Amino acid sequence: MTASPATVARGRADVCPGALQTHAAADGALARVRVPGGLLTGDQLRALAAAARELGDGALELTSRGNVQLRGLASGAEADLGDRLAGAGLLPSATHERVRNVLASTLTGRAGGHVDARPWARALDAGICAEPALAALPGRFLATLDDGRGDVALLGGDVGLRALGPDRVALTLAGADSGLRTTPDAAVALALAATRGFLDERAAQGGTAWRLAELDDGPRRVATALSSSGRHRGQVPSPARVEPLPTLLGEASGPPLVGTPVGTFPQADGRVSLIAVVPLGRLTAEQADLLARLADEVQLSPWRSVVVPDLTEDAADDAAVVLHRTGMVLDAASPWTRVTACAGRPGCAKSLADVRADAARAVATGTLPADGARQHWAGCERRCGRPRGDVVDVLATLDGYRVTAAR
Ligand code: SF4
């Protein structure tokens, strides 16, 4: 684990939107609903679809953290939205609603991986919501729960669990291995202890950082405090053996799912899952209702795709046809698996272009820049929603789009 630079001083608290604390966008209020693990029941999906149709602009936006946004909310719609979300079990804590950022491996518990990370996601979310002090976490704080396949472990979580085998779990801090090990049963307790450790270290360093990596030597200090305090119930050796993530990735289990998995995946129980990409992450209320009819539970991925699990092969064939007709993408060769965009005009006042319309036009006409490489279109330098990894930037400027190489 390498030392992080000196503490980053933030002049203000983070203003990440939530379901109740909305953001005033150019097209109305924007609400972000946290979906720990990306896991949504059919009833929850139906409730979100109805809210989008009746309160918002008729669609759900999928985010790079597997969450859902509603746009175009009228002034005063927050109370109605809050009631609907609470009724659907999507708002278990009004005080903690913005800090439930939990990613879990795509397909976990169904195909690949050493463990099922879904119980971790539910337990970690419940643990966060149960502790009043954890309401002070920044809205940008992120937990990643990787079942061993190495997908979400690479997404830079502040705190993360990474299964190394069926009985051994690594704690990651700021996206790197901490050297601490535990068992699957004790893993959530360790992640919660690390989360508390972030707040303690943040307070010791001035109390303004949003992310663990912004603290001076934050990951090492939190790991040292954990291994010396014994205040968690995990079986954790001293952090003597720190392995870089690439070493851990050599132990990955299951299909390589780094990036955008798409298509049909056989499950361990003989059934199959479909993974469909949602172009530009905009899921219409009608598409959401369709997904809710196809599965009792779906999983949203950080790559703006949706897992439709537990299908027979015949049902999967039929579902794939219907999803394709609605505009969802199940072809791994589709350019839509490589194109993302920020909100752009008209939703964002800062945008210099309607980037979504322009990106869609480029896909339709086969004129994507950079030979169709993985790319993110953005209306200004902030590049909201840019995926991690090698991505070409297609940036709106006053003189048209500027295309810069992947970095
Ligand atoms: S990148 Fe700029 S234009 Fe796009 S949503 Fe963010 S602030 Fe708005």
Side-chain angles (χ1 to χ4, degrees), residues 182-202:
T182 189
T183 61
D185 286 349
V188 169
L190 180 58
L192 284 167
T195 302
R196 289 180 213 111
F198 162 73
L199 285 180
D200 291 346
E201 188 57 36
R202 185 175 82 139

Side-chain angles (χ1 to χ4, degrees), residues 21-247:
Q21 180 184 311
T22 57
H23 164 71
D27 56 350
L30 179 152
R32 184 174 300 159
V33 183
R34 267 62 178 188
V35 185
L39 299 166
L40 283 173
T41 66
D43 286 344
Q44 289 173 333
L45 200 48
R46 270 186 279 273
L48 286 168
R53 191 182 288 115
E54 293 159 23
L55 305 176
D57 70 354
L60 302 167
E61 281 185 351
L62 309 188
T63 78
S64 60
R65 289 180 161 195
N67 291 321
V68 167
Q69 293 182 164
L70 292 94
R71 303 192 72 97
L73 297 166
S75 175
E78 291 90 345
D80 190 351
L81 177 63
D83 289 344
R84 290 169 183 243
L85 295 176
L90 288 164
L91 193 58
S93 167
T95 49
H96 293 65
E97 60 122 343
R98 295 188 320 120
V99 303
R100 305 165 59 232
N101 296 300
V102 180
L103 287 176
S105 288
T106 302
L107 283 177
T108 190
R110 293 191 164 97
H114 295 301
V115 300
D116 184 350
R118 291 174 296 174
W120 281 352
R122 295 183 183 109
L124 182 60
D125 181 36
I128 290 171
C129 291
E131 288 196 38
L134 297 186
L137 287 168
R140 306 205 178 194
F141 193 84
L142 175 67
T144 57
L145 305 177
D146 197 302
D147 65 10
R149 77 190 66 218
D151 57 349
V152 296
L154 293 173
L155 298 181
D158 298 276
V159 165
L161 298 175
R162 169 73 200 278
L164 302 178
D167 303 315
R168 191 161 158 259
V169 180
L171 176 75
T172 59
L173 294 172
D177 185 20
S178 69
L180 299 177
R181 301 288 180 266
T182 189
T183 61
D185 286 349
V188 169
L190 180 58
L192 284 167
T195 302
R196 289 180 213 111
F198 162 73
L199 285 180
D200 291 346
E201 188 57 36
R202 185 175 82 139
Q205 295 191 27
T208 60
W210 293 346
R211 306 294 307 269
L212 178 56
E214 295 175 0
L215 294 176
D216 182 21
D217 207 12
R220 192 191 61 78
R221 290 177 192 232
V222 169
T224 301
L226 282 173
S227 59
S228 61
S229 71
R231 61 183 170 172
H232 54 79
R233 294 191 296 276
Q235 302 163 8
V236 180
S238 69
R241 191 165 65 93
V242 176
E243 300 163 74
L245 267 183
T247 303

Side-chain angles (χ1 to χ4, degrees), residues 227-312:
S227 59
S228 61
S229 71
R231 61 183 170 172
H232 54 79
R233 294 191 296 276
Q235 302 163 8
V236 180
S238 69
R241 191 165 65 93
V242 176
E243 300 163 74
L245 267 183
T247 303
L248 298 181
L249 291 175
E251 305 174 33
S253 165
L257 288 177
V258 178
T260 308
V262 58
T264 304
F265 295 82
Q267 297 181 183
D269 64 3
R271 294 181 291 178
V272 298
S273 287
L274 295 177
I275 304 185
V277 168
V278 179
L280 300 176
R282 189 174 162 83
L283 185 74
T284 66
E286 291 68 32
Q287 288 171 324
D289 281 334
L290 170 62
L291 290 168
R293 287 198 296 277
L294 292 173
D296 294 334
E297 177 188 76
V298 302
Q299 185 183 20
L300 311 180
S301 89
W303 299 281
R304 279 96 165 177
S305 59
V306 184
V307 180
V308 186
D310 304 338
L311 302 168
T312 64

